[in-house]
Short mmCIF file of all heavy atoms in Angstrom, two decimals:
data_model
loop_
_atom_site.label_atom_id
_atom_site.label_comp_id
_atom_site.label_asym_id
_atom_site.label_seq_id
_atom_site.Cartn_x
_atom_site.Cartn_y
_atom_site.Cartn_z
N THR Q 262 -37.06 -127.45 -142.03
CA THR Q 262 -38.40 -126.77 -142.00
C THR Q 262 -39.44 -127.56 -141.13
O THR Q 262 -40.53 -127.06 -140.94
CB THR Q 262 -38.97 -126.72 -143.56
OG1 THR Q 262 -39.06 -128.00 -144.05
CG2 THR Q 262 -38.02 -125.84 -144.29
N THR Q 263 -39.06 -128.76 -140.65
CA THR Q 263 -39.97 -129.55 -139.85
C THR Q 263 -40.18 -128.88 -138.44
O THR Q 263 -41.29 -128.63 -138.05
CB THR Q 263 -39.35 -130.90 -139.61
OG1 THR Q 263 -38.03 -130.85 -139.16
CG2 THR Q 263 -39.38 -131.67 -140.98
N ILE Q 264 -39.08 -128.62 -137.72
CA ILE Q 264 -39.00 -127.93 -136.47
C ILE Q 264 -38.07 -126.76 -136.62
O ILE Q 264 -36.88 -126.97 -136.65
CB ILE Q 264 -38.62 -128.83 -135.32
CG1 ILE Q 264 -39.56 -130.06 -135.22
CG2 ILE Q 264 -38.60 -128.03 -134.04
CD1 ILE Q 264 -39.15 -131.07 -134.23
N PRO Q 265 -38.52 -125.53 -136.93
CA PRO Q 265 -37.65 -124.39 -137.28
C PRO Q 265 -36.72 -124.14 -136.13
O PRO Q 265 -36.98 -124.30 -134.90
CB PRO Q 265 -38.60 -123.23 -137.55
CG PRO Q 265 -39.89 -123.64 -136.87
CD PRO Q 265 -39.97 -125.13 -136.94
N LYS Q 266 -35.46 -123.68 -136.54
CA LYS Q 266 -34.44 -123.34 -135.54
C LYS Q 266 -34.89 -122.27 -134.55
O LYS Q 266 -34.44 -122.27 -133.45
CB LYS Q 266 -33.13 -122.92 -136.21
CG LYS Q 266 -33.25 -121.66 -136.99
CD LYS Q 266 -31.96 -121.31 -137.73
CE LYS Q 266 -32.03 -120.13 -138.55
NZ LYS Q 266 -30.77 -119.78 -139.23
N GLU Q 267 -35.82 -121.43 -134.96
CA GLU Q 267 -36.30 -120.39 -134.04
C GLU Q 267 -36.96 -120.88 -132.86
O GLU Q 267 -37.18 -120.22 -131.85
CB GLU Q 267 -37.26 -119.38 -134.84
CG GLU Q 267 -36.48 -118.51 -135.85
CD GLU Q 267 -36.23 -119.30 -137.14
OE1 GLU Q 267 -36.70 -120.43 -137.33
OE2 GLU Q 267 -35.49 -118.73 -137.94
N SER Q 268 -37.47 -122.15 -132.92
CA SER Q 268 -38.23 -122.75 -131.73
C SER Q 268 -37.26 -123.51 -130.85
O SER Q 268 -37.71 -123.97 -129.74
CB SER Q 268 -39.33 -123.66 -132.25
OG SER Q 268 -38.78 -124.75 -133.00
N ILE Q 269 -35.98 -123.58 -131.14
CA ILE Q 269 -35.04 -124.35 -130.41
C ILE Q 269 -34.22 -123.44 -129.47
O ILE Q 269 -33.82 -122.34 -129.85
CB ILE Q 269 -34.06 -125.18 -131.31
CG1 ILE Q 269 -34.85 -126.12 -132.19
CG2 ILE Q 269 -32.97 -125.89 -130.45
CD1 ILE Q 269 -35.41 -127.26 -131.44
N HIS Q 270 -33.98 -123.87 -128.27
CA HIS Q 270 -33.07 -123.19 -127.33
C HIS Q 270 -31.63 -123.57 -127.70
O HIS Q 270 -31.13 -124.69 -127.35
CB HIS Q 270 -33.37 -123.49 -125.90
CG HIS Q 270 -34.73 -123.12 -125.49
ND1 HIS Q 270 -35.05 -121.88 -124.96
CD2 HIS Q 270 -35.90 -123.75 -125.55
CE1 HIS Q 270 -36.28 -121.80 -124.70
NE2 HIS Q 270 -36.88 -122.93 -125.01
N LEU Q 271 -30.93 -122.77 -128.51
CA LEU Q 271 -29.69 -123.11 -129.06
C LEU Q 271 -28.55 -122.88 -128.15
O LEU Q 271 -28.59 -121.93 -127.31
CB LEU Q 271 -29.48 -122.33 -130.39
CG LEU Q 271 -30.51 -122.63 -131.57
CD1 LEU Q 271 -30.28 -121.61 -132.66
CD2 LEU Q 271 -30.25 -124.02 -132.06
N PRO Q 272 -27.41 -123.62 -128.25
CA PRO Q 272 -26.24 -123.32 -127.46
C PRO Q 272 -25.67 -121.91 -127.75
O PRO Q 272 -25.61 -121.52 -128.91
CB PRO Q 272 -25.23 -124.38 -127.94
CG PRO Q 272 -26.10 -125.50 -128.46
CD PRO Q 272 -27.29 -124.82 -129.10
N THR Q 273 -25.38 -121.21 -126.74
CA THR Q 273 -24.79 -119.85 -126.79
C THR Q 273 -23.81 -119.72 -125.68
O THR Q 273 -23.82 -120.56 -124.70
CB THR Q 273 -25.85 -118.72 -126.72
OG1 THR Q 273 -26.32 -118.67 -125.32
CG2 THR Q 273 -27.03 -118.95 -127.65
N PRO Q 274 -22.95 -118.73 -125.70
CA PRO Q 274 -21.97 -118.50 -124.55
C PRO Q 274 -22.83 -118.21 -123.22
O PRO Q 274 -22.23 -118.48 -122.12
CB PRO Q 274 -21.22 -117.25 -125.02
CG PRO Q 274 -21.26 -117.26 -126.46
CD PRO Q 274 -22.58 -117.82 -126.86
N ASP Q 275 -24.07 -117.80 -123.27
CA ASP Q 275 -24.85 -117.55 -122.15
C ASP Q 275 -25.94 -118.62 -121.85
O ASP Q 275 -26.95 -118.41 -121.29
CB ASP Q 275 -25.57 -116.20 -122.27
CG ASP Q 275 -24.56 -115.10 -122.29
OD1 ASP Q 275 -23.56 -115.16 -121.50
OD2 ASP Q 275 -24.81 -114.12 -123.04
N TYR Q 276 -25.63 -119.87 -122.35
CA TYR Q 276 -26.63 -120.97 -122.33
C TYR Q 276 -27.09 -121.27 -120.91
O TYR Q 276 -28.26 -121.50 -120.60
CB TYR Q 276 -26.04 -122.20 -122.95
CG TYR Q 276 -26.99 -123.33 -123.10
CD1 TYR Q 276 -27.84 -123.36 -124.24
CD2 TYR Q 276 -27.07 -124.38 -122.25
CE1 TYR Q 276 -28.76 -124.40 -124.40
CE2 TYR Q 276 -27.96 -125.46 -122.38
CZ TYR Q 276 -28.82 -125.43 -123.50
OH TYR Q 276 -29.67 -126.42 -123.68
N VAL Q 277 -26.15 -121.22 -119.92
CA VAL Q 277 -26.55 -121.54 -118.49
C VAL Q 277 -27.50 -120.51 -118.02
O VAL Q 277 -28.55 -120.78 -117.40
CB VAL Q 277 -25.27 -121.59 -117.64
CG1 VAL Q 277 -25.71 -121.72 -116.15
CG2 VAL Q 277 -24.41 -122.83 -118.01
N SER Q 278 -27.14 -119.21 -118.24
CA SER Q 278 -28.03 -118.11 -117.78
C SER Q 278 -29.45 -118.16 -118.49
O SER Q 278 -30.45 -117.88 -117.88
CB SER Q 278 -27.36 -116.76 -117.97
OG SER Q 278 -26.23 -116.68 -117.25
N GLU Q 279 -29.37 -118.54 -119.79
CA GLU Q 279 -30.61 -118.42 -120.49
C GLU Q 279 -31.54 -119.67 -120.35
O GLU Q 279 -32.72 -119.60 -120.60
CB GLU Q 279 -30.24 -118.37 -122.03
CG GLU Q 279 -29.56 -117.06 -122.43
CD GLU Q 279 -28.97 -117.10 -123.82
OE1 GLU Q 279 -29.00 -118.19 -124.42
OE2 GLU Q 279 -28.53 -116.07 -124.28
N ASN Q 280 -30.99 -120.77 -119.75
CA ASN Q 280 -31.77 -121.96 -119.66
C ASN Q 280 -31.77 -122.49 -118.23
O ASN Q 280 -32.83 -122.48 -117.54
CB ASN Q 280 -31.35 -123.10 -120.63
CG ASN Q 280 -31.59 -122.61 -122.03
OD1 ASN Q 280 -32.73 -122.76 -122.55
ND2 ASN Q 280 -30.54 -122.18 -122.83
N TYR Q 281 -30.70 -123.08 -117.78
CA TYR Q 281 -30.68 -123.69 -116.47
C TYR Q 281 -31.00 -122.79 -115.34
O TYR Q 281 -31.56 -123.15 -114.32
CB TYR Q 281 -29.33 -124.41 -116.25
CG TYR Q 281 -28.91 -125.40 -117.29
CD1 TYR Q 281 -27.84 -125.17 -118.13
CD2 TYR Q 281 -29.70 -126.57 -117.48
CE1 TYR Q 281 -27.50 -126.09 -119.12
CE2 TYR Q 281 -29.29 -127.57 -118.36
CZ TYR Q 281 -28.21 -127.27 -119.28
OH TYR Q 281 -27.90 -128.19 -120.15
N ALA Q 282 -30.53 -121.49 -115.46
CA ALA Q 282 -30.68 -120.51 -114.32
C ALA Q 282 -32.19 -120.23 -114.16
O ALA Q 282 -32.51 -119.73 -113.09
CB ALA Q 282 -29.93 -119.26 -114.71
N LEU Q 283 -33.04 -120.51 -115.11
CA LEU Q 283 -34.50 -120.26 -114.93
C LEU Q 283 -35.17 -121.53 -114.27
O LEU Q 283 -36.33 -121.33 -113.98
CB LEU Q 283 -35.09 -120.00 -116.31
CG LEU Q 283 -34.42 -118.88 -117.17
CD1 LEU Q 283 -35.10 -118.81 -118.52
CD2 LEU Q 283 -34.56 -117.52 -116.39
N SER Q 284 -34.44 -122.54 -114.06
CA SER Q 284 -35.01 -123.77 -113.50
C SER Q 284 -34.86 -123.83 -112.01
O SER Q 284 -34.48 -122.82 -111.37
CB SER Q 284 -34.35 -125.00 -114.19
OG SER Q 284 -33.05 -125.17 -113.68
N ASP Q 285 -35.15 -124.99 -111.45
CA ASP Q 285 -35.03 -125.13 -110.00
C ASP Q 285 -33.74 -125.66 -109.62
O ASP Q 285 -33.52 -126.01 -108.43
CB ASP Q 285 -36.19 -126.07 -109.51
CG ASP Q 285 -36.05 -127.47 -110.13
OD1 ASP Q 285 -35.29 -127.69 -111.01
OD2 ASP Q 285 -36.79 -128.38 -109.65
N ARG Q 286 -32.71 -125.68 -110.50
CA ARG Q 286 -31.39 -126.17 -110.20
C ARG Q 286 -30.76 -125.30 -109.07
O ARG Q 286 -30.87 -124.03 -109.20
CB ARG Q 286 -30.47 -126.08 -111.35
CG ARG Q 286 -30.45 -127.43 -112.21
CD ARG Q 286 -31.67 -127.67 -112.88
NE ARG Q 286 -31.59 -128.77 -113.97
CZ ARG Q 286 -32.59 -129.17 -114.68
NH1 ARG Q 286 -33.81 -128.61 -114.54
NH2 ARG Q 286 -32.41 -130.16 -115.55
N PRO Q 287 -30.17 -125.89 -108.10
CA PRO Q 287 -29.46 -125.10 -107.10
C PRO Q 287 -28.32 -124.28 -107.68
O PRO Q 287 -27.80 -124.72 -108.72
CB PRO Q 287 -28.92 -126.20 -106.05
CG PRO Q 287 -29.76 -127.40 -106.28
CD PRO Q 287 -30.10 -127.35 -107.78
N THR Q 288 -27.98 -123.20 -107.08
CA THR Q 288 -26.94 -122.32 -107.58
C THR Q 288 -25.60 -123.01 -107.84
O THR Q 288 -25.04 -122.75 -108.93
CB THR Q 288 -26.74 -121.11 -106.70
OG1 THR Q 288 -27.97 -120.35 -106.55
CG2 THR Q 288 -25.74 -120.14 -107.20
N PRO Q 289 -25.13 -123.87 -106.95
CA PRO Q 289 -23.93 -124.51 -107.19
C PRO Q 289 -23.91 -125.42 -108.45
O PRO Q 289 -22.89 -125.61 -109.11
CB PRO Q 289 -23.69 -125.47 -105.96
CG PRO Q 289 -24.41 -124.73 -104.88
CD PRO Q 289 -25.59 -124.16 -105.54
N VAL Q 290 -25.05 -125.90 -108.82
CA VAL Q 290 -25.15 -126.68 -110.08
C VAL Q 290 -24.96 -125.79 -111.30
O VAL Q 290 -24.30 -126.18 -112.31
CB VAL Q 290 -26.58 -127.30 -110.22
CG1 VAL Q 290 -26.75 -128.04 -111.57
CG2 VAL Q 290 -26.79 -128.34 -109.19
N LEU Q 291 -25.45 -124.53 -111.25
CA LEU Q 291 -25.20 -123.64 -112.26
C LEU Q 291 -23.66 -123.31 -112.43
O LEU Q 291 -23.17 -123.24 -113.59
CB LEU Q 291 -25.93 -122.27 -112.04
CG LEU Q 291 -27.41 -122.35 -111.81
CD1 LEU Q 291 -28.01 -121.00 -111.59
CD2 LEU Q 291 -28.13 -123.16 -112.94
N LYS Q 292 -22.94 -123.18 -111.35
CA LYS Q 292 -21.50 -123.06 -111.40
C LYS Q 292 -20.82 -124.25 -112.00
O LYS Q 292 -19.87 -124.08 -112.79
CB LYS Q 292 -21.03 -122.86 -109.92
CG LYS Q 292 -21.38 -121.49 -109.38
CD LYS Q 292 -20.91 -121.41 -107.87
CE LYS Q 292 -19.39 -121.47 -107.82
NZ LYS Q 292 -18.90 -121.36 -106.39
N SER Q 293 -21.32 -125.39 -111.68
CA SER Q 293 -20.71 -126.69 -112.26
C SER Q 293 -20.93 -126.72 -113.76
O SER Q 293 -20.11 -127.09 -114.51
CB SER Q 293 -21.31 -127.87 -111.56
OG SER Q 293 -20.90 -127.91 -110.15
N LEU Q 294 -22.27 -126.36 -114.18
CA LEU Q 294 -22.49 -126.44 -115.60
C LEU Q 294 -21.62 -125.37 -116.35
O LEU Q 294 -21.12 -125.64 -117.45
CB LEU Q 294 -23.98 -126.13 -115.87
CG LEU Q 294 -24.94 -127.28 -115.52
CD1 LEU Q 294 -26.30 -126.79 -115.35
CD2 LEU Q 294 -24.86 -128.39 -116.58
N GLN Q 295 -21.50 -124.21 -115.73
CA GLN Q 295 -20.65 -123.24 -116.38
C GLN Q 295 -19.15 -123.58 -116.47
O GLN Q 295 -18.55 -123.25 -117.40
CB GLN Q 295 -20.79 -121.79 -115.63
CG GLN Q 295 -20.30 -120.61 -116.39
CD GLN Q 295 -21.03 -120.32 -117.64
OE1 GLN Q 295 -22.22 -120.21 -117.64
NE2 GLN Q 295 -20.33 -120.29 -118.75
N SER Q 296 -18.72 -124.26 -115.50
CA SER Q 296 -17.30 -124.75 -115.50
C SER Q 296 -17.12 -125.73 -116.64
O SER Q 296 -16.04 -125.73 -117.20
CB SER Q 296 -16.87 -125.31 -114.14
OG SER Q 296 -17.56 -126.55 -113.97
N LEU Q 297 -18.13 -126.58 -116.96
CA LEU Q 297 -18.05 -127.44 -118.11
C LEU Q 297 -17.89 -126.67 -119.39
O LEU Q 297 -17.11 -126.98 -120.28
CB LEU Q 297 -19.21 -128.38 -118.18
CG LEU Q 297 -19.32 -129.57 -117.24
CD1 LEU Q 297 -20.69 -130.22 -117.41
CD2 LEU Q 297 -18.17 -130.62 -117.43
N LEU Q 298 -18.69 -125.59 -119.43
CA LEU Q 298 -18.71 -124.82 -120.71
C LEU Q 298 -17.59 -123.84 -120.80
O LEU Q 298 -17.37 -123.25 -121.85
CB LEU Q 298 -20.08 -124.07 -120.80
CG LEU Q 298 -21.26 -125.06 -121.08
CD1 LEU Q 298 -22.59 -124.25 -120.78
CD2 LEU Q 298 -21.19 -125.53 -122.48
N ASP Q 299 -16.86 -123.65 -119.76
CA ASP Q 299 -15.73 -122.65 -119.76
C ASP Q 299 -14.40 -123.29 -119.97
O ASP Q 299 -13.39 -122.58 -119.99
CB ASP Q 299 -15.71 -121.93 -118.39
CG ASP Q 299 -16.77 -120.83 -118.27
OD1 ASP Q 299 -17.37 -120.52 -119.29
OD2 ASP Q 299 -16.98 -120.33 -117.18
N HIS Q 300 -14.33 -124.55 -120.19
CA HIS Q 300 -13.02 -125.29 -120.30
C HIS Q 300 -12.77 -125.76 -121.72
O HIS Q 300 -13.68 -126.04 -122.53
CB HIS Q 300 -13.06 -126.46 -119.30
CG HIS Q 300 -11.72 -127.03 -119.08
ND1 HIS Q 300 -10.80 -126.43 -118.13
CD2 HIS Q 300 -10.92 -128.01 -119.63
CE1 HIS Q 300 -9.64 -127.10 -118.08
NE2 HIS Q 300 -9.77 -128.07 -119.02
N GLY Q 301 -11.43 -125.92 -122.02
CA GLY Q 301 -11.15 -126.55 -123.27
C GLY Q 301 -11.15 -125.60 -124.46
O GLY Q 301 -11.39 -124.40 -124.39
N ARG Q 302 -10.97 -126.16 -125.67
CA ARG Q 302 -10.93 -125.36 -126.92
C ARG Q 302 -12.31 -124.79 -127.20
O ARG Q 302 -12.38 -123.80 -127.95
CB ARG Q 302 -10.51 -126.27 -128.10
CG ARG Q 302 -9.04 -126.64 -128.02
CD ARG Q 302 -8.64 -127.37 -129.30
NE ARG Q 302 -8.53 -126.52 -130.46
CZ ARG Q 302 -9.09 -126.75 -131.61
NH1 ARG Q 302 -9.77 -127.85 -131.81
NH2 ARG Q 302 -8.91 -125.97 -132.62
N LEU Q 303 -13.38 -125.39 -126.68
CA LEU Q 303 -14.76 -124.87 -126.98
C LEU Q 303 -15.24 -123.90 -125.84
O LEU Q 303 -16.44 -123.58 -125.81
CB LEU Q 303 -15.71 -125.99 -127.15
CG LEU Q 303 -15.48 -126.93 -128.41
CD1 LEU Q 303 -16.56 -127.96 -128.48
CD2 LEU Q 303 -15.43 -126.06 -129.64
N ALA Q 304 -14.34 -123.51 -125.02
CA ALA Q 304 -14.72 -122.61 -123.93
C ALA Q 304 -15.45 -121.34 -124.45
O ALA Q 304 -15.03 -120.75 -125.50
CB ALA Q 304 -13.52 -122.18 -123.13
N ASN Q 305 -16.51 -120.93 -123.76
CA ASN Q 305 -17.19 -119.76 -124.14
C ASN Q 305 -18.03 -119.76 -125.42
O ASN Q 305 -18.28 -118.71 -126.02
CB ASN Q 305 -16.26 -118.45 -124.06
CG ASN Q 305 -15.58 -118.36 -122.74
OD1 ASN Q 305 -16.23 -118.43 -121.68
ND2 ASN Q 305 -14.23 -118.17 -122.74
N THR Q 306 -18.30 -120.92 -125.92
CA THR Q 306 -19.09 -121.09 -127.12
C THR Q 306 -20.49 -121.63 -126.88
O THR Q 306 -21.34 -121.53 -127.70
CB THR Q 306 -18.39 -121.98 -128.13
OG1 THR Q 306 -18.31 -123.35 -127.60
CG2 THR Q 306 -16.97 -121.50 -128.49
N GLY Q 307 -20.65 -122.27 -125.68
CA GLY Q 307 -21.94 -122.97 -125.44
C GLY Q 307 -21.89 -124.48 -125.89
O GLY Q 307 -22.87 -125.15 -125.69
N TYR Q 308 -20.80 -124.91 -126.48
CA TYR Q 308 -20.72 -126.28 -127.00
C TYR Q 308 -19.69 -127.12 -126.10
O TYR Q 308 -18.85 -126.56 -125.37
CB TYR Q 308 -20.18 -126.25 -128.40
CG TYR Q 308 -21.08 -125.73 -129.46
CD1 TYR Q 308 -20.88 -124.50 -130.02
CD2 TYR Q 308 -22.25 -126.48 -129.74
CE1 TYR Q 308 -21.84 -123.99 -130.97
CE2 TYR Q 308 -23.16 -125.95 -130.73
CZ TYR Q 308 -22.96 -124.75 -131.28
OH TYR Q 308 -23.84 -124.23 -132.16
N LEU Q 309 -19.90 -128.41 -126.18
CA LEU Q 309 -19.12 -129.36 -125.39
C LEU Q 309 -18.47 -130.37 -126.27
O LEU Q 309 -19.02 -130.90 -127.25
CB LEU Q 309 -20.02 -130.10 -124.37
CG LEU Q 309 -20.61 -129.30 -123.21
CD1 LEU Q 309 -21.71 -130.18 -122.52
CD2 LEU Q 309 -19.56 -128.86 -122.25
N SER Q 310 -17.23 -130.69 -125.88
CA SER Q 310 -16.44 -131.84 -126.42
C SER Q 310 -15.98 -132.64 -125.25
O SER Q 310 -15.14 -132.20 -124.43
CB SER Q 310 -15.29 -131.38 -127.24
OG SER Q 310 -14.33 -132.41 -127.47
N ILE Q 311 -16.54 -133.78 -125.02
CA ILE Q 311 -16.26 -134.62 -123.85
C ILE Q 311 -15.55 -135.95 -124.23
O ILE Q 311 -15.99 -136.60 -125.21
CB ILE Q 311 -17.45 -134.91 -122.99
CG1 ILE Q 311 -18.17 -133.54 -122.54
CG2 ILE Q 311 -17.20 -135.82 -121.81
CD1 ILE Q 311 -19.50 -133.76 -121.78
N LEU Q 312 -14.57 -136.35 -123.51
CA LEU Q 312 -13.94 -137.59 -123.70
C LEU Q 312 -14.48 -138.62 -122.69
O LEU Q 312 -14.31 -138.48 -121.51
CB LEU Q 312 -12.43 -137.55 -123.50
CG LEU Q 312 -11.69 -138.89 -123.65
CD1 LEU Q 312 -11.65 -139.36 -125.11
CD2 LEU Q 312 -10.27 -138.84 -123.07
N PRO Q 313 -15.20 -139.67 -123.15
CA PRO Q 313 -15.80 -140.64 -122.21
C PRO Q 313 -15.02 -141.95 -122.35
O PRO Q 313 -14.84 -142.48 -123.40
CB PRO Q 313 -17.23 -140.82 -122.78
CG PRO Q 313 -17.04 -140.63 -124.25
CD PRO Q 313 -15.85 -139.82 -124.51
N VAL Q 314 -14.52 -142.49 -121.21
CA VAL Q 314 -13.87 -143.75 -121.26
C VAL Q 314 -14.36 -144.57 -120.09
O VAL Q 314 -13.78 -144.63 -119.01
CB VAL Q 314 -12.31 -143.56 -121.30
CG1 VAL Q 314 -11.70 -144.92 -121.46
CG2 VAL Q 314 -11.83 -142.56 -122.27
N ASP Q 315 -15.43 -145.24 -120.32
CA ASP Q 315 -15.97 -146.26 -119.36
C ASP Q 315 -16.06 -147.60 -120.02
O ASP Q 315 -16.56 -148.58 -119.46
CB ASP Q 315 -17.29 -145.88 -118.77
CG ASP Q 315 -18.38 -145.71 -119.78
OD1 ASP Q 315 -18.10 -145.79 -120.94
OD2 ASP Q 315 -19.54 -145.63 -119.44
N GLN Q 316 -15.49 -147.74 -121.28
CA GLN Q 316 -15.63 -148.93 -121.97
C GLN Q 316 -14.87 -150.14 -121.40
O GLN Q 316 -15.14 -151.27 -121.66
CB GLN Q 316 -15.14 -148.74 -123.41
CG GLN Q 316 -16.03 -147.81 -124.25
CD GLN Q 316 -15.66 -146.35 -124.12
OE1 GLN Q 316 -14.90 -145.94 -123.20
NE2 GLN Q 316 -16.14 -145.50 -124.97
N GLY Q 317 -13.89 -149.81 -120.51
CA GLY Q 317 -13.18 -150.87 -119.84
C GLY Q 317 -14.10 -151.76 -119.03
O GLY Q 317 -13.89 -152.97 -118.76
N ILE Q 318 -15.26 -151.26 -118.52
CA ILE Q 318 -16.29 -152.04 -117.83
C ILE Q 318 -17.35 -152.46 -118.89
O ILE Q 318 -17.70 -153.64 -118.92
CB ILE Q 318 -16.91 -151.20 -116.68
CG1 ILE Q 318 -15.92 -150.84 -115.63
CG2 ILE Q 318 -18.12 -151.99 -116.15
CD1 ILE Q 318 -16.41 -149.98 -114.57
N GLU Q 319 -17.77 -151.51 -119.67
CA GLU Q 319 -18.98 -151.81 -120.59
C GLU Q 319 -18.63 -152.84 -121.63
O GLU Q 319 -19.50 -153.57 -122.08
CB GLU Q 319 -19.38 -150.47 -121.26
CG GLU Q 319 -19.85 -149.45 -120.23
CD GLU Q 319 -21.23 -149.64 -119.70
OE1 GLU Q 319 -21.97 -150.45 -120.27
OE2 GLU Q 319 -21.63 -148.91 -118.75
N HIS Q 320 -17.34 -152.81 -122.15
CA HIS Q 320 -17.02 -153.73 -123.22
C HIS Q 320 -15.85 -154.65 -122.89
O HIS Q 320 -15.41 -155.43 -123.69
CB HIS Q 320 -16.63 -152.92 -124.49
CG HIS Q 320 -17.71 -152.04 -124.96
ND1 HIS Q 320 -18.80 -152.42 -125.57
CD2 HIS Q 320 -17.88 -150.68 -124.87
CE1 HIS Q 320 -19.66 -151.34 -125.82
NE2 HIS Q 320 -19.07 -150.34 -125.37
N SER Q 321 -15.24 -154.53 -121.70
CA SER Q 321 -14.14 -155.21 -121.11
C SER Q 321 -12.87 -154.36 -121.52
O SER Q 321 -12.78 -153.77 -122.53
CB SER Q 321 -13.97 -156.64 -121.67
OG SER Q 321 -13.14 -156.76 -122.76
N ALA Q 322 -11.88 -154.45 -120.54
CA ALA Q 322 -10.66 -153.68 -120.70
C ALA Q 322 -9.86 -154.19 -121.94
O ALA Q 322 -9.26 -153.43 -122.73
CB ALA Q 322 -9.82 -153.77 -119.42
N GLY Q 323 -9.83 -155.54 -122.12
CA GLY Q 323 -9.14 -156.11 -123.24
C GLY Q 323 -9.66 -155.58 -124.60
O GLY Q 323 -8.88 -155.19 -125.46
N ALA Q 324 -11.02 -155.71 -124.74
CA ALA Q 324 -11.60 -155.26 -126.00
C ALA Q 324 -11.38 -153.78 -126.18
O ALA Q 324 -11.24 -153.39 -127.39
CB ALA Q 324 -13.10 -155.56 -125.93
N SER Q 325 -11.31 -153.00 -125.17
CA SER Q 325 -11.23 -151.58 -125.33
C SER Q 325 -9.79 -151.06 -125.52
O SER Q 325 -9.50 -150.19 -126.31
CB SER Q 325 -11.84 -150.85 -124.05
OG SER Q 325 -13.18 -151.24 -123.97
N PHE Q 326 -8.84 -151.59 -124.67
CA PHE Q 326 -7.49 -151.04 -124.65
C PHE Q 326 -6.47 -151.80 -125.31
O PHE Q 326 -5.32 -151.35 -125.53
CB PHE Q 326 -7.09 -150.85 -123.17
CG PHE Q 326 -8.07 -149.93 -122.42
CD1 PHE Q 326 -8.55 -150.38 -121.11
CD2 PHE Q 326 -8.62 -148.78 -122.87
CE1 PHE Q 326 -9.39 -149.64 -120.42
CE2 PHE Q 326 -9.54 -148.08 -122.20
CZ PHE Q 326 -9.87 -148.40 -120.99
N ALA Q 327 -6.74 -153.06 -125.76
CA ALA Q 327 -5.72 -153.83 -126.50
C ALA Q 327 -5.17 -153.11 -127.78
O ALA Q 327 -4.01 -153.14 -128.05
CB ALA Q 327 -6.27 -155.18 -126.83
N PRO Q 328 -6.05 -152.38 -128.52
CA PRO Q 328 -5.56 -151.62 -129.69
C PRO Q 328 -4.57 -150.59 -129.31
O PRO Q 328 -3.74 -150.16 -130.14
CB PRO Q 328 -6.87 -151.04 -130.29
CG PRO Q 328 -7.90 -151.92 -129.85
CD PRO Q 328 -7.58 -152.29 -128.49
N ASN Q 329 -4.56 -150.09 -128.12
CA ASN Q 329 -3.60 -149.08 -127.63
C ASN Q 329 -3.46 -149.26 -126.09
O ASN Q 329 -4.08 -148.56 -125.30
CB ASN Q 329 -4.11 -147.69 -127.95
CG ASN Q 329 -3.01 -146.59 -127.82
OD1 ASN Q 329 -1.92 -146.95 -127.50
ND2 ASN Q 329 -3.39 -145.46 -128.09
#
Side-chain angles (χ1 to χ4, degrees):
T262 58
T263 52
I264 302 172
K266 64 182 179 181
E267 290 78 13
S268 63
I269 299 291
H270 298 270
L271 297 169
T273 70
D275 295 320
Y276 188 82
V277 172
S278 296
E279 293 168 352
N280 293 283
Y281 302 115
L283 306 177
S284 73
D285 62 352
R286 270 68 169 178
T288 302
V290 175
L291 306 182
K292 290 176 63 178
S293 293
L294 286 163
Q295 193 64 54
S296 71
L297 284 174
L298 290 167
D299 282 349
H300 196 84
R302 292 185 71 228
L303 296 182
N305 304 312
T306 64
Y308 290 109
L309 291 172
S310 167
I311 297 174
L312 176 72
V314 187
D315 61 348
Q316 291 87 347
I318 296 177
E319 299 282 348
H320 303 285
S321 92
S325 302
F326 303 136
N329 195 1

